[in-house]
């Protein structure tokens, strides 16, 4: 008895996925709810668990195939696993002979032996073991050799002499090759089909460029105060809250302060309407094995530093483990993307539609700046705010970024809501 494995519900507005990888081979034992396949959707990878315990049966679809919700992708069989389970790819390559009226044909034709091997097999009784070995090694047809031994038997020396004569003779013209072999050192190419996630990323980024009136405003930020506060309180913070104090919580709180003052930066265009949100659902761009993803921290404007750090850390771990859900990805009113962790000095980030703005963070480096008429060295970071100019005016974008800068340079502002 077999049980069908079907594509589970993938989330709101997601109707199909792509078979990314089979995690179990036919014939292998499968436990209840054990992952047997990985599906790639537009946003995340989802594992399909076994509906029953048993033995992995046949694949109904192949890796790379698109499947709809509810479609059958494999079967689970009752019984114990086979000792030598054959992968489905090998079974598919086995030739199936057509049925015959006289007798059943073999499942796959036996490959024909080479002429030399056939000749050796036919003359096995007449050839000594040493001669048979020499014939096979030199590739000489024994029928073409005149034996010098007793009763005209072929000797090993006869085989060697025939091989030398063959090598001395001019080689026949080589047939025209169907495709010339690539010369040594030739540069090669590799073609890999884009994953569904990468296709979605490409489409959404291009749509953002084609739809929104994108513009980026820049500023630089002195990180001295935040770095000093972090260094002073990092040990006690981690001891109390069980999480490290990073820079993202400072920027998240600073962004909330700016979005409260400039509501348009936290708004969206939907049709011919502008939707303003009284809350901040912060999308945080993180790197996952299959590409960049932006899970959402809900109601970040109501969180403290420790809550923000824990939430971002948990989402980052899920992204690396490939366990993000559709719920983790949906929504978001504003995005922070930290290219500084990869060493980026400056960039023009692209908004995450339908959002209207994204804050780009970059690496911190010591630079000479003027303070009170003196040139001093300070840890500086470039900030970039890309925004949809259809909704956000330049004055609003510059003001929002300036508010973020001032809050980072003087974190006391975060405490007194200034």
């Amino acid at each position: 008895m077999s049980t069908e494995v079907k594509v589970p519900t993938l989330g709101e507005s997601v109707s199909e996925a792509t078979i990314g990888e089979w995690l179990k081979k036919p014939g292998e034992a499968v436990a209840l709810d054990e992952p047997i396949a990985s599906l790639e959707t537009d946003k995340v990878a989802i594992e399909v668990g076994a509906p029953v315990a048993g033995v992995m049966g046949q694949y109904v679809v192949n890796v790379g195939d698109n499947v709809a919700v509810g479609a059958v992708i494999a079967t689970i069989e009752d019984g114990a696993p086979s000792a030598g389970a054959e992968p489905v790819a090998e079974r598919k390559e086995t030739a199936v002979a057509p049925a015959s009226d006289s007798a059943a044909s073999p499942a796959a034709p036996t490959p024909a032996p080479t002429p030399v091997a056939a000749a050796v097999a036919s003359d096995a009784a007449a050839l000594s073991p040493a001669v048979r070995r020499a014939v096979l090694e030199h590739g000489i047809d024994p029928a073409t050799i005149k034996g010098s031994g007793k009763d005209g038997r072929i000797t090993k020396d006869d085989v060697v002499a025939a091989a030398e004569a063959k090598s001395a003779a001019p080689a026949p013209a080589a047939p025209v090759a169907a495709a010339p072999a690539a010369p040594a050192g030739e540069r090669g190419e590799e073609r890999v089909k884009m994953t569904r996630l990468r296709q979605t990323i490409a489409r959404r980024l291009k749509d953002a460029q084609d739809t929104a009136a994108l513009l980026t405003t820049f500023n630089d930020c002195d990180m001295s105060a935040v770095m000093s506060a972090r260094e002073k309180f990092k040990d006690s913070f981690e001891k109390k809250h069980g999480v490290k104090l990073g820079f993202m919580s400072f920027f998240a709180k600073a962004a909330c302060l700016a979005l409260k003052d400039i509501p348009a930066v936290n708004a969206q265009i939907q049709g011919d309407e502008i939707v303003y949100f009284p809350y901040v659902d912060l999308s945080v761009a993180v790197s996952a094995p299959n590409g960049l993803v932006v899970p959402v921290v809900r109601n970040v404007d109501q969180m403290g530093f420790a809550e923000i750090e824990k939430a971002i850390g948990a989402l980052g771990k899920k992204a690396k483990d490939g366990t993000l859900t559709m719920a983790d990805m949906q929504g978001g009113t504003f995005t922070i993307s930290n290219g500084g962790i990869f060493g980026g000095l400056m960039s023009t980030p692209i908004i995450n539609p339908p959002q209207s703005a994204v804050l780009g963070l970059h690496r911190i480096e010591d630079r000479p700046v003027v303070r009170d008429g003196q040139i001093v060295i300070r840890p500086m970071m470039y900030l970039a705010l890309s925004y949809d100019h259809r909704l956000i005016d330049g004055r609003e974008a510059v003001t929002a970024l300036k508010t973020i800068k001032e809050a980072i340079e003087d974190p006391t502002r975060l405490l007194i809501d200034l």
Side-chain angles (χ1 to χ4, degrees), residues 47-340:
E47 291 183 342
V48 179
V52 295
V55 178
M56 187 68 192
Q58 297 293 323
Y59 303 154
V60 178
V61 292
N62 299 315
V63 172
D65 289 350
N66 292 334
V67 289
V69 173
V72 177
I73 60 174
T75 58
I76 302 293
E77 309 291 340
D78 293 338
S82 57
E86 182 184 7
V88 66
E90 297 181 8
R91 279 197 293 274
K92 288 185 177 180
E93 293 171 357
T94 304
V96 180
S100 172
D101 294 336
S102 57
S105 300
T110 303
T114 63
V116 173
V120 171
S122 63
D123 294 339
L127 301 177
S128 68
V131 172
R132 287 201 300 271
R133 184 163 54 251
V135 166
L136 291 174
E137 288 177 354
H138 294 284
I140 302 297
D141 186 351
T144 63
I145 303 175
K146 184 178 180 180
S148 61
K150 185 179 179 180
D151 298 329
R153 288 179 178 272
I154 300 174
T155 66
K156 182 178 179 181
D157 291 338
D158 295 333
V159 177
V160 173
E164 293 175 349
K166 180 180 179 182
S167 61
V176 179
E186 181 75 12
R187 295 181 299 173
E189 296 179 350
E190 181 182 7
R191 294 179 179 269
V192 180
K193 184 178 179 181
M194 293 175 68
T195 63
R196 177 178 287 271
L197 177 59
R198 176 51 59 184
Q199 293 179 45
T200 301
I201 292 172
R203 184 181 66 254
R204 285 174 60 84
L205 292 180
K206 186 57 181 173
D207 287 346
Q209 287 185 320
D210 293 341
T211 303
L214 288 177
L215 193 63
T216 304
T217 183
F218 297 95
N219 213 322
D220 61 355
C221 179
D222 187 341
M223 297 291 293
S224 299
V226 165
M227 293 177 68
S228 176
R230 181 172 179 266
E231 182 65 26
K232 182 178 181 180
F233 297 110
K234 65 178 183 180
D235 293 335
S236 55
F237 184 89
E238 184 174 4
K239 182 178 180 180
K240 180 177 180 179
H241 300 291
V243 64
K244 293 182 178 180
L245 177 61
F247 295 128
M248 282 297 292
S249 53
F250 285 94
F251 279 102
K253 296 296 289 183
C256 291
L257 196 64
L259 300 181
K260 180 179 179 181
D261 291 344
I262 313 294
V265 182
N266 195 45
Q268 297 177 6
I269 294 177
Q270 296 183 8
D272 59 355
E273 296 179 334
I274 300 175
V275 180
Y276 294 93
F277 300 98
Y279 52 85
V280 178
D281 284 351
L282 182 64
S283 300
V284 183
V286 296
S287 181
N290 293 330
L292 188 72
V293 293
V294 277
V296 181
V297 180
R298 316 286 175 185
N299 299 313
V300 72
D301 53 312
Q302 301 177 20
M303 291 183 175
F305 281 75
E307 294 174 296
I308 294 173
E309 293 291 353
K310 289 178 180 179
I312 293 176
L315 291 173
K317 184 178 185 303
K318 292 177 71 174
K320 291 180 180 179
D321 296 341
T323 57
L324 285 172
T325 65
M326 297 300 297
D328 293 328
M329 309 288 291
Q330 292 173 347
T333 62
F334 182 77
T335 295
I336 296 181
S337 178
N338 186 7

Side-chain angles (χ1 to χ4, degrees), residues 204-205 208 212 214 349-358 386-388:
R204 285 174 60 84
L205 292 180
L214 288 177
I350 299 178
I351 64 173
N352 179 26
Q355 297 175 21
S356 299
V358 53
S386 291
Y387 58 98
D388 188 349

